[in-house]
């Protein structure tokens, strides 16, 4: 029987982020328009395995997924392992811009989920000229705290088990168990404190972009929104409110939770491919 | 509503094996009706229906009977599929010492989900 090898290639690059050298792991597949994918808080790039493996997409897009520092196979910057990690909007934007600039990507598409769905709004606000399109999955302008994130990182609770269980909560009960398990396993493997630290950006004031939505010009850089109906973190009504404020459409995905690309990849690809076709059509026009 | 847990998570069940070492008194409240689960070494050994006199428990999860029923549907609808979803929507209260629940969150979620009818 022939060995089934995926077309994904993973390597390390040394990239300076805000002047600090980082060893960043990224995976990529395909050729064409760069499509940079941004994983959720506390997880890593494996969430986009189905996008990287989809020949319908990689035929036209160079799909690139990097693990944020501290996540997946991208270690913390030297000397920062024990720092009290809290992600800021400015640092998150800097990571993405540094990655795109290091690879000299020509106006890539950026697609992010959850915190990634939030940061694409910041990219739309501050760097619309750098991207040909942005895709927000589970994207909202803000989230009010509704639970104590301290439970995600404390000495008397196993962080991996806790984060995995919480990620499980955010998925749809109809998603395939194989992919639900894969998705929560990524969370179970996360470094201590990274989920909680990422949520510093996601919840509350740090990443709240409501006051700047009016300054986002979706004509300068098209923005596409896709949201799963089972997500209670970024609820459909949150994405609808965002879409209304920006004057754009949002697609609500039935039977889908907070991690569409990872918890139910095949169904998600059915939603993503037409969006990417729209991007290609705009390129050709 | 919760009596079956002594069967689904009783001694020797796969569920009990997921929480070895856990001793906990988990109160489940549906409206005004309380059921106290006695959990020993991960097994639900008793499901004591109220009313209780001077009840003592570690953690209490409270929701309206209709919300519990929606949660326990074979395929619960959005907003009702998980205890965090119910918490987020203001349909469930978590009270008491949450530590034993948080230390065994996946187990507690599976414990409650064990009451759902199996999807054919």
């Amino acid at each position: 029987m022939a060995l089934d090898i995926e077309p994904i290639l993973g390597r390390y690059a040394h990239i300076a982020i805000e002047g600090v050298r980082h060893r960043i792991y990224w995976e990529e597949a395909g050729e064409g328009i760069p499509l940079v994918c941004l994983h959720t808080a506390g997880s890593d790039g494996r969430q986009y395995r189905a996008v990287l493996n989809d020949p319908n997409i990689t035929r036209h897009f160079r799909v690139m997924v990097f693990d944020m520092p501290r996540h997946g196979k991208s270690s913390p910057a030297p000397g920062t392992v024990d720092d009290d990690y809290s992600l800021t909007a400015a640092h998150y934007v800097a990571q993405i811009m540094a990655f795109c600039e290091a690879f000299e990507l020509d106006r890539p598409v950026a697609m992010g989920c959850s915190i990634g769905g939030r940061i694409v709004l910041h990219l739309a606000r501050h760097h619309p000229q750098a991207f040909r399109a942005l895709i927000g999955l589970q994207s909202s302008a803000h989230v009010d705290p509704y639970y104590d994130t301290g439970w995600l990182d404390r000495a008397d609770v196993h962080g991996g088990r806790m984060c995995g269980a919480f990620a499980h909560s955010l998925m749809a009960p109809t998603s395939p168990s194989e992919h639900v398990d894969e998705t929560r396993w990524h969370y179970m493997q996360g470094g201590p404190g990274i989920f909680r630290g990422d949520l510093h950006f996601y919840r509350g004031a740090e990443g709240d972009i409501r006051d700047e939505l009016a300054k986002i010009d979706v004509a300068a850089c098209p923005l596409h929104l896709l949201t799963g109906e089972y997500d209670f973190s970024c609820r459909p009504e949150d994405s609808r409110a965002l879409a209304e404020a920006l004057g754009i459409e949002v697609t609500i995905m039935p039977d889908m939770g907070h991690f569409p690309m990872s918890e139910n990849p095949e169904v998600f690809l059915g939603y993503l491919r037409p969006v990417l076709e729209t991007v290609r059509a705009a390129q050709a026009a | 509503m919760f009596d079956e847990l002594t069967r689904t998570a009783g001694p020797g069940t796969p569920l009990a094996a997921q929480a070895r070492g856990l001793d906990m008194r988990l109160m489940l409240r549906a409206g005004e009706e309380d059921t106290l689960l006695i959990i020993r070494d991960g097994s639900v050994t008793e499901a004591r229906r109220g009313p209780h006199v001077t009840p003592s428990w570690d953690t209490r999860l409270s929701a309206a009977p209709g919300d519990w029923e929606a949660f326990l549907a074979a395929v619960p609808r959005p907003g009702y599929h998980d205890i965090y979803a119910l918490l987020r929507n203001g349909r469930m209260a978590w009270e008491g010492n949450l530590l034993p629940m948080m230390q065994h969150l996946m187990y507690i979620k599976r414990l409650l989900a064990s009451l759902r009818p199996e999807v054919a």
Side-chain angles (χ1 to χ4, degrees), chain B residues 51-82:
Chain B
H52 301 284
V53 179
T54 61
S56 176
W57 37 265
D58 296 300
T59 312
R60 182 167 70 183
L61 305 181
S62 305
D67 291 335
W68 275 115
E69 287 169 15
F71 170 82
L72 294 175
V75 182
R77 61 186 189 271
Y80 293 86
H81 68 288
D82 188 88

Side-chain angles (χ1 to χ4, degrees), chain B residues 12-35:
Chain B
T13 60
L15 252 175
Q18 292 180 22
R20 287 193 183 97
L22 173 63
D23 294 325
M24 179 183 184
R25 298 166 72 88
L26 176 62
M27 185 72 90
L28 302 176
R29 168 167 278 195
E32 296 301 312
E33 186 175 305
D34 285 333
T35 301

